């Protein structure tokens, strides 16, 4: 049994029915777990003697809208966590899909890995994913008055509002975006016979 197969067996045993799927690609495992079991799985991944995933390296949001040229028919938002076991020298990716596209919500794993604090705030700010139980869930990268979530695939490329300093009012003001939509067509000039087998 390979190291990856052994890890998969340990994960399936520890997480049980919470596992939706396991995918092994490029020497890595991606385990999809049910949203209702998100926090419980995090505890098991950290505490199970066969796993000991003591370090959360990263957490990010994903917007699956229009993925695969529109072939995707699952939940729109998911969260992916990259975990490391220093003791076992192994890594795993845990993915959880938010059950409600209109109000994406998952339990916070901050009690398991306190380092997730800013990562969950970033996923909230950029994707609008709510982490229930997070002690300070507020924007971290955009301005406090920012409207929307800029990493969502339906967010307009130019945004909704812009801010600037108004010297007459002596303060920062918000106003609708004033950028005129335009189509940029790249100009490519190639010599005659470019790419022909020389």
């Amino acid at each position: 049994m390979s190291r990856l197969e052994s890890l998969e067996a340990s994960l399936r045993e520890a997480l049980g029915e919470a596992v939706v799927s396991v995918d092994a690609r490029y020497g890595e495992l991606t385990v999809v777990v049910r949203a209702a079991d998100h926090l419980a799985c995090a505890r098991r991944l950290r505490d199970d003697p066969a796993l000991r995933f003591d370090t959360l390296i990263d957490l990010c949001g994903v917007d699956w809208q229009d993925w695969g040229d529109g072939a995707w028919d699952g939940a729109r938002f998911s969260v992916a966590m990259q975990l490391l076991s220093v003791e076992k020298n192994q890594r795993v990716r845990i993915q959880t899909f938010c059950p409600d596209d209109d109000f994406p919500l998952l339990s916070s794993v901050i009690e398991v890995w306190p380092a997730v604090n800013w990562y969950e705030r970033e996923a909230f700010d950029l994707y609008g994913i709510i982490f229930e139980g997070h002690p300070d869930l507020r924007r971290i990268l955009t301005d406090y008055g920012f409207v929307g979530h800029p990493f969502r695939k339906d967010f307009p490329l130019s945004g909704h509002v812009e801010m600037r300093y108004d010297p007459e009012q002596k303060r920062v003001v918000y106003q609708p975006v004033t950028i005129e939509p335009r189509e940029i067509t790249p100009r490519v000039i190639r010599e005659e016979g470019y790419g022909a087998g020389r």
Side-chain angles (χ1 to χ4, degrees):
M1 181 181 283
S2 74
R3 185 175 167 90
L4 207 60
E5 291 169 335
S6 176
L7 175 57
E8 180 177 346
S10 297
L11 286 162
R12 285 187 182 276
E13 184 178 337
L15 302 179
E17 292 182 8
V19 173
V20 175
S21 66
V22 179
D23 186 25
R25 288 187 201 186
Y26 310 111
E28 298 178 350
L29 286 179
T30 300
V31 180
V32 177
V33 299
R34 296 186 310 207
D37 298 312
H38 181 68
L39 179 57
C41 285
R43 286 190 197 108
R44 277 189 230 123
L45 288 161
R46 183 195 60 191
D47 298 338
D48 190 286
L51 300 173
R52 295 279 191 227
F53 286 102
D54 52 2
T55 306
L56 179 131
I57 297 171
D58 189 25
L59 176 144
C60 65
V62 181
D63 183 351
W64 292 86
Q65 179 178 304
D66 300 329
W67 185 80
D69 293 326
W72 181 256
D73 66 349
R76 177 175 175 183
F77 298 101
S78 73
V79 167
M81 299 185 295
Q82 313 292 333
L83 304 177
L84 167 69
S85 171
V86 175
E87 178 185 327
K88 306 286 185 182
N89 189 24
Q90 54 194 14
R91 296 171 187 263
V92 68
R93 178 180 306 107
I94 303 296
Q95 189 163 33
T96 310
F97 286 88
C98 302
D100 186 350
D101 291 350
D102 295 326
F103 190 72
L105 173 77
L106 286 177
S107 296
S108 173
V109 294
I110 198 165
E111 71 178 58
V112 180
W113 298 292
V116 80
N117 186 347
W118 284 22
Y119 296 125
E120 288 183 346
R121 284 181 59 189
E122 181 183 51
F124 162 69
D125 191 2
L126 301 179
Y127 292 96
I129 299 170
I130 306 294
F131 293 91
E132 190 173 38
H134 191 287
D136 188 23
L137 195 62
R138 58 190 162 102
R139 292 190 180 272
I140 191 169
L141 295 172
T142 59
D143 188 59
Y144 296 116
F146 192 87
V147 176
H149 304 283
F151 277 18
R152 287 188 174 193
K153 292 190 178 168
D154 55 2
F155 190 81
L157 293 178
S158 61
H160 299 289
V161 296
E162 62 187 5
M163 60 183 240
R164 66 175 177 81
Y165 180 76
D166 186 326
E168 292 175 9
Q169 298 181 45
K170 295 187 177 4
R171 66 180 183 93
V172 172
V173 295
Y174 293 90
Q175 61 192 43
V177 172
T178 57
I179 299 172
E180 290 294 321
R182 63 184 188 272
E183 186 174 320
I184 300 173
T185 307
R187 287 182 35 172
V188 178
I189 302 171
R190 293 195 174 114
E191 61 189 48
E192 190 173 322
Y194 175 84
R198 293 184 177 192

